[in-house]
Amino acid sequence: MKVPNPNTPFPLENYNRLCFLKNIIKNPNILVGDYTYYDDFEDVNNFEKNVKYHFDFIGDKLVIGKFCMIASGVQFIMNGGNHLTESISAFPFAVFGGDWQDAMCGKSYPSKGNTIIGNDVWIGHDATIMPGVKIGDGAIIASKSVVTKNVEPYAIVGGNPAKLIRKRFEEDKIQELLRLQWWNWSIEKITANIQQLTGENVSDLKE
């Protein structure tokens, strides 16, 4: 059986602007599943540059599932970009030290937790994902969207802020896909179901 090797950084021969993302990530707080790919118009190393405000001392994680498709220009804004919003001033005085170094004593900057991207998620060109957002399995994020809230499984969202355009399937089919979790099947079983996975009938998938 000849299938792509998920541990190969560049699975397409003579093309180095698409990579299986987990193989090029250096930041231990970015976790990526097998076969998730990133396609960049210039350089795949732009991916980590586009994970913004991701500071080690905060410790938040970007977690991306298996078989995701991430287009060029996608940005993830992490919790290090958050400022105080309930205080009189949003200015980060403490960052500049000196007589301002204790400005945050007894206080903390807001954090919305880890950013979680499910499995089989397609994120379109130049989309932006805000801190702490959770995107469900099978969702599609339209190009140029700004995702500020959680996205349900198999939803298509778009706009700024991103709103639901439609669901990809009827609810009973979505629940069946979430039960099957095909992305966790063996690669042999996935390969045996390739025709079904590229079809439209959930009932055709062979368990």
Side-chain angles (χ1 to χ4, degrees):
M1 183 176 68
K2 185 177 181 181
V3 298
N5 182 348
N7 300 313
T8 300
F10 302 103
L12 301 180
E13 191 174 353
N14 301 319
Y15 188 79
N16 64 1
R17 289 181 298 190
L18 182 147
C19 69
F20 283 152
L21 188 54
K22 74 169 191 175
N23 300 297
I24 69 161
I25 293 298
K26 297 181 176 64
N27 189 326
N29 284 332
I30 301 176
L31 308 173
V32 182
D34 286 349
Y35 295 103
T36 284
Y37 73 77
Y38 174 60
D39 189 11
D40 193 281
F41 297 145
E42 298 173 353
D43 183 351
V44 292
N45 292 301
N46 286 332
F47 181 85
E48 284 198 64
K49 295 177 184 177
N50 287 334
V51 181
K52 307 291 190 182
Y53 309 108
H54 198 194
F55 304 129
D56 291 345
F57 64 87
I58 293 178
D60 54 340
K61 291 179 169 57
L62 170 59
V63 181
I64 303 173
K66 301 175 183 178
F67 293 95
C68 291
M69 302 138 276
I70 304 175
S72 185
V74 170
Q75 294 191 75
F76 297 88
I77 309 299
M78 304 301 285
N79 287 289
N82 287 333
H83 290 247
L84 298 172
T85 56
E86 305 300 324
S87 59
I88 293 169
S89 174
F91 193 83
F93 292 99
V95 170
F96 299 97
D99 290 342
W100 294 353
Q101 65 182 349
D102 295 328
M104 288 297 291
C105 277
K107 309 178 184 77
S108 60
Y109 290 108
S111 174
K112 296 186 176 181
N114 297 333
T115 299
I116 310 290
I117 313 301
N119 304 280
D120 193 25
V121 172
W122 175 20
I123 306 179
H125 173 58
D126 273 355
T128 299
I129 314 299
M130 297 303 286
V133 163
K134 293 173 176 56
I135 298 177
D137 298 324
I140 296 175
I141 312 301
S143 296
K144 306 282 187 182
S145 297
V146 179
V147 183
T148 61
K149 296 181 179 179
N150 293 351
V151 177
E152 293 184 4
Y154 292 94
I156 301 174
V157 303
N160 181 4
K163 294 185 181 345
L164 178 67
I165 297 171
R166 65 178 175 86
K167 290 291 190 78
R168 292 179 59 193
F169 304 103
E170 296 295 328
E171 191 59 34
D172 60 331
K173 292 183 178 180
I174 291 174
Q175 292 306 314
E176 179 64 7
L177 286 165
L178 294 175
R179 184 189 71 80
L180 288 171
Q181 296 185 358
W182 67 261
W183 44 84
N184 288 328
W185 291 353
S186 70
I187 198 62
E188 292 82 8
K189 187 173 179 180
I190 289 172
T191 301
N193 278 271
I194 285 293
Q195 288 296 323
Q196 291 77 18
L197 286 167
T198 55
E200 298 178 3
N201 295 318
V202 175
S203 58
D204 289 345
L205 288 173
K206 301 171 185 173
E207 289 195 80

